[in-house]
Amino acid sequence: MDDSELLFLGVARQAELVRAGKVSARQLTEASLRRIERLDRRLGAFRVVLGERALAEADARDAARAAGDDRPLLGVPVAVKDELDVAGEVTTFGGSANHTPAPHDSEAVRRLRAAGAVVVGKTTMPEFGQWPFTESAAYGYTRNPWDTERTPGGSSGGSAAAVAAGLVGAALGGDGGGSIRIPAACCGLFGLKPQRGRVSTAPQPHLWHALGTVGPLTRGVLDSALLYDVLSGPAAGDRWTARPPATSFVRAASTEPGRLRIGWSAKPAVPGVRPCPEHVAALHETVRALRELGHDVREIDPRYPDTTAAFVPQFYGGVRAEAEAVQRPDLLERRTRQTVRTARLAPGAAAEWAVRAGERMAVRANRVFAAVDLLLTPTLAERPRRVGALDGLGMAGAMLRSRPMIAYTALWNVTGNPAASVPAGFAADGLPLSVQLVGPEHEEAAVLQVAAQLESVRPWADRIPDLAREPGPAA
């Protein structure tokens, strides 16, 4: 197989090949590094590539395999968003204000390595993950592999671009308002935001208080399930802990769910936003597909609560805490300095008040699941913008421009529910379409099951951006 074929197999299949001795961890890692070298200059997906370290790690995985190691991600190259610590590397949060390398891996990275994965690099993000566009003063624009003049979304845009272009089979992201689901939607990937507390945020007790979660972006549902089996579970110091799943996520993704009640709505959760007609059409097409699969699918009014009062103080408080911990605050972007100044106007207890307000809003939002098992919505209200979406904008302008991108996603960060971006074809502009599946609290399994059904009847992983088709040498 050439590099392109090998890297587009997905992490589950790659790990199978390594365990069977049909390809080595070094071959996989070399293929990943070659594709990064050849393609990333056009994408800007990686902030740093760990070439020699990754090859040494791959060699250790091959030695372990020879000794009988059969870990679930043995020898698989992965990437990590640059808000998660990788030992020996600076955690930049997408900016220039940090200079000191992290002494240890974050818990999520540690678990990837413990499962046998090889970390090949850290991916780009907007500073502190504030925006749904991966653009920063420090690292420029990150571009969408389907159209390099368009954004891959954000804030995990580097991770999404790297997976969509076949530079790695999976990459870790973070989601504090849609930052896994939005770039997954822009880049044609599957992106599940897990239940709050499902994946440890250690060494931090939380990520933007109750809003943030950590999770992977992948091409397919099974790969996501495999990674969540590796990543899930609490660690010491975590503020939130999810209820243990009834079965493994891989088993859930491989099991038919039976006939479910699925409610659908095109209504945004953010007032004053109108969805793109192509996104509504993709929603209707998904409704038809789900009915053909045997589900009871009906239009509903979710009666969303207005979560602004819960979301905004946690957003400001989270960014302020991260910004005040950097070594060189004078090097923060102008927009970030505006965010921090605004955050300082609020009482110190505002974020904690907002957490409690969010818990009350979650009770209201989850009433929808008394009548249905899952909720289906668009993922985004607008098409991916051209790169430069943040150019010339201050904090207020950037927040206004972000509203259509988070109109369906941010609510579920406030409530903590699992929610996934599921590919749903392509629009007239040639970029992917997506829908969002939202589950009741702690119920990732049902989301994975229905997403896997949709993947089986309208496969998406075989669609590859033209930019990513360059084969490269055979492995």
Side-chain angles (χ1 to χ4, degrees):
M1 284 182 282
D2 62 36
D3 289 355
S4 178
E5 292 173 310
L6 199 54
L7 269 297
F8 278 112
L9 288 174
V11 295
R13 181 61 179 146
Q14 288 170 353
E16 287 177 5
L17 292 176
V18 171
R19 288 194 297 269
K22 295 180 179 179
V23 67
S24 69
R26 174 171 270 267
Q27 286 174 313
L28 270 175
T29 302
E30 286 177 338
S32 176
L33 294 173
R34 282 192 296 264
R35 283 183 67 79
I36 293 169
E37 173 66 24
R38 189 164 64 253
L39 299 178
D40 197 46
R41 66 192 68 183
R42 285 180 268 171
L43 295 173
F46 279 86
R47 199 275 297 173
V48 64
V49 179
L50 310 176
E52 291 304 315
R53 287 184 61 185
L55 290 172
E57 196 167 21
D59 288 341
R61 301 294 184 259
D62 285 330
R65 189 203 68 80
D69 195 334
D70 64 350
R71 285 176 286 173
L73 297 177
L74 189 66
V76 172
V78 298
V80 174
K81 184 180 180 183
D82 207 9
E83 66 185 355
L84 298 170
D85 291 346
V86 170
E89 298 298 322
V90 177
T91 304
T92 73
F93 295 97
S96 302
N98 263 352
H99 294 151
T100 303
H104 308 289
D105 287 339
S106 67
E107 181 62 15
V109 175
R110 187 198 68 77
R111 291 182 185 186
L112 286 181
R113 292 198 208 266
V118 175
V119 177
V120 299
K122 304 195 75 179
T123 57
T124 49
M125 58 183 289
E127 192 163 60
F128 299 114
Q130 295 171 83
W131 316 115
F133 314 102
T134 302
E135 303 174 6
S136 70
Y139 305 109
Y141 304 146
T142 301
R143 298 172 183 270
N144 193 315
W146 294 96
D147 179 350
T148 55
E149 292 304 309
R150 301 292 190 99
T151 181
S155 63
S156 306
S159 291
V163 175
L167 309 184
V168 287
L172 284 187
D175 194 315
S179 290
I180 289 173
R181 291 159 290 161
I182 293 166
C186 291
C187 294
L189 304 176
F190 180 72
L192 169 63
K193 179 196 84 68
Q195 171 68 33
R196 178 188 300 142
R198 178 69 64 203
V199 178
S200 174
T201 57
Q204 305 305 323
H206 56 78
L207 180 61
W208 283 9
H209 303 280
L211 298 180
T213 58
V214 176
L217 292 100
T218 62
R219 296 185 63 77
V221 177
L222 181 61
D223 282 352
S224 181
L226 173 60
L227 283 157
Y228 274 117
D229 278 338
V230 165
L231 293 166
S232 295
D238 286 346
R239 180 168 179 181
W240 283 281
T241 301
R243 187 171 66 222
T247 186
S248 78
F249 293 118
V250 166
R251 182 181 294 275
S254 307
T255 304
E256 292 290 321
R259 189 170 191 260
L260 298 181
R261 302 165 303 162
I262 301 176
W264 68 269
S265 176
K267 174 185 175 182
V270 172
V273 173
R274 296 184 64 182
C276 168
E278 286 184 287
H279 295 193
V280 177
L283 176 67
H284 291 164
E285 180 58 35
T286 305
V287 167
R288 285 191 289 272
L290 290 169
R291 284 176 176 156
E292 290 172 1
L293 285 164
H295 297 294
D296 174 10
V297 189
R298 65 191 82 163
E299 185 176 11
I300 62 170
D301 180 356
R303 299 185 181 276
Y304 299 126
D306 183 352
T307 58
T308 304
F311 182 88
V312 171
Q314 293 182 75
F315 165 81
Y316 278 124
V319 174
R320 174 183 174 179
E322 291 174 346
E324 291 181 342
V326 301
Q327 287 93 42
R328 290 288 306 276
D330 57 303
L331 297 181
L332 293 171
E333 291 181 7
R334 177 176 63 93
R335 275 188 299 270
T336 300
R337 293 197 299 271
Q338 291 173 344
T339 301
V340 173
R341 284 197 298 270
T342 303
R344 287 172 177 158
L345 297 175
E352 285 303 311
W353 176 90
V355 170
R356 294 190 295 274
E359 291 169 349
R360 294 190 295 272
M361 293 171 188
V363 172
R364 292 174 55 195
N366 274 281
R367 288 172 185 162
V368 69
F369 297 111
V372 298
D373 300 304
L374 293 173
L375 175 65
L376 177 72
T377 75
T379 307
L380 309 175
E382 69 176 12
R383 302 301 296 139
R385 286 181 174 266
R386 292 192 172 275
V387 293
L390 298 177
D391 286 359
L393 297 181
M395 179 204 70
M399 293 188 77
L400 186 63
R401 184 152 292 179
S402 299
R403 282 169 57 84
M405 297 292 276
I406 67 169
Y408 294 97
T409 58
L411 163 70
W412 305 110
N413 294 84
V414 172
T415 66
N417 293 59
S421 173
V422 182
F426 287 80
D429 59 13
L431 273 73
L433 292 162
S434 172
V435 293
Q436 179 179 232
L437 278 171
V438 185
E441 293 174 306
H442 306 278
E443 289 297 331
E444 291 98 331
V447 175
L448 288 166
Q449 287 174 318
V450 173
Q453 283 188 312
L454 288 170
E455 186 178 22
S456 71
V457 298
R458 54 182 200 192
W460 58 74
D462 58 344
R463 293 290 298 270
I464 296 172
D466 288 342
L467 174 147
R469 290 185 180 277
E470 300 178 11

